[in-house]
Amino acid sequence: MAQKPKIDPHVGRLGYLQALVTEFQETESQVPLPIADAKEQVLANLANFAYDPGNYQYLRQLQVLDLFLDSLSEENETLVKFAIGGLCNLCPDKANKEHILQAGGIPLITNCLSSPNEETVLSAVTTLMYLSSPSTSPHPELTSLPVVQCMLRFSLSANTRLRNLAQIFLEDFCSPSQVAEARSQQAHSALGIPLPKAEAPQQP
């Protein structure tokens, strides 16, 4: 079992965050099942610290943004949820946005749109909106055809938060021609990113 980091009360914010990162990395090398719980707890703590702009510099210094990005590829949906939540919390900062974009984070984030977990999807949509803001250089991947098609589907969701976010994304970050093309393509294809709540399989 991973032990809780022993923190000196005088070690400060950077030292505490460093201890969390170290604990997360040390649990990766261990096999027992409870390790998954330990990693989830540490990643949840790091994601919560990402709420505070006062921690941004330390989190960049400790490469926590890369740790979050790496965790998006985990099979454990809970780790993915905390990782995308952490990135979403960090995105209001321009330096953090640029780091995520330069690290090739867009495909990892858009992959989260197909998660069965609604919180993961909500965080992913919000993160894409932050990354699409005018303060960052344009990235066509953010409004690629599959992403716009996905937002069209989400705009029909029963989840009010998801529906509203998707509508804002379509109105504020996509051109009318992009939306029209996505609608046209969707009319001729059954493919696309599924809604986060899976429907019951149809009986043959």
Side-chain angles (χ1 to χ4, degrees):
M1 281 290 290
Q3 292 185 341
K4 297 285 177 208
K6 292 181 176 145
I7 309 295
D8 185 319
H10 303 294
V11 81
R13 203 179 291 213
L14 177 61
Y16 184 79
L17 293 170
Q18 174 69 73
L20 284 173
V21 172
T22 301
E23 181 179 6
F24 186 88
Q25 292 168 338
E26 285 177 352
T27 59
E28 285 192 304
S29 63
Q30 302 179 45
V31 181
L33 283 177
I35 294 308
D37 296 335
K39 288 179 69 173
E40 289 169 10
Q41 185 175 8
V42 175
L43 206 62
N45 285 334
L46 288 170
N48 285 335
F49 279 111
Y51 269 117
D52 184 352
N55 292 326
Y56 289 166
Q57 178 184 348
Y58 302 126
L59 293 170
R60 282 197 299 272
Q61 182 179 336
L62 296 170
Q63 300 181 321
V64 172
L65 281 84
D66 295 318
L67 188 153
F68 285 150
L69 287 168
D70 289 343
S71 297
L72 295 182
S73 301
E74 293 273 0
E75 291 183 8
N76 181 329
E77 285 288 344
T78 304
L79 288 176
V80 174
K81 179 182 74 172
F82 291 140
I84 189 64
L87 289 171
C88 185
N89 291 340
L90 291 165
C91 268
D93 179 77
K94 185 176 180 181
N96 291 339
K97 276 192 280 195
E98 289 297 337
H99 182 96
I100 292 166
L101 292 168
Q102 290 172 10
I106 296 174
L108 295 168
I109 294 164
T110 55
N111 282 345
C112 292
L113 296 174
S114 60
S115 170
N117 186 299
E118 284 191 337
E119 287 302 319
T120 297
V121 175
L122 287 164
S123 293
V125 174
T126 306
T127 302
L128 289 174
M129 290 168 70
Y130 279 129
L131 294 176
S132 302
S133 67
S135 64
T136 52
S137 52
H139 285 260
E141 292 171 277
L142 290 165
T143 51
S144 65
L145 184 60
V147 171
V148 181
Q149 288 179 320
C150 178
M151 296 303 168
L152 284 171
R153 286 176 55 77
F154 289 166
S155 70
L156 305 174
S157 171
N159 182 313
T160 305
R161 291 167 64 203
L162 182 58
R163 184 172 67 247
N164 290 343
L165 278 176
Q167 289 170 344
I168 292 169
F169 189 96
L170 291 168
E171 291 170 10
D172 292 359
F173 302 105
C174 304
S175 68
S177 61
Q178 285 176 314
V179 176
E181 182 187 2
R183 284 190 198 280
S184 170
Q185 294 281 342
Q186 265 189 338
H188 298 95
S189 172
L191 299 176
I193 302 173
L195 289 168
K197 279 227 167 131
E199 296 177 5
Q202 294 181 339
Q203 295 298 322

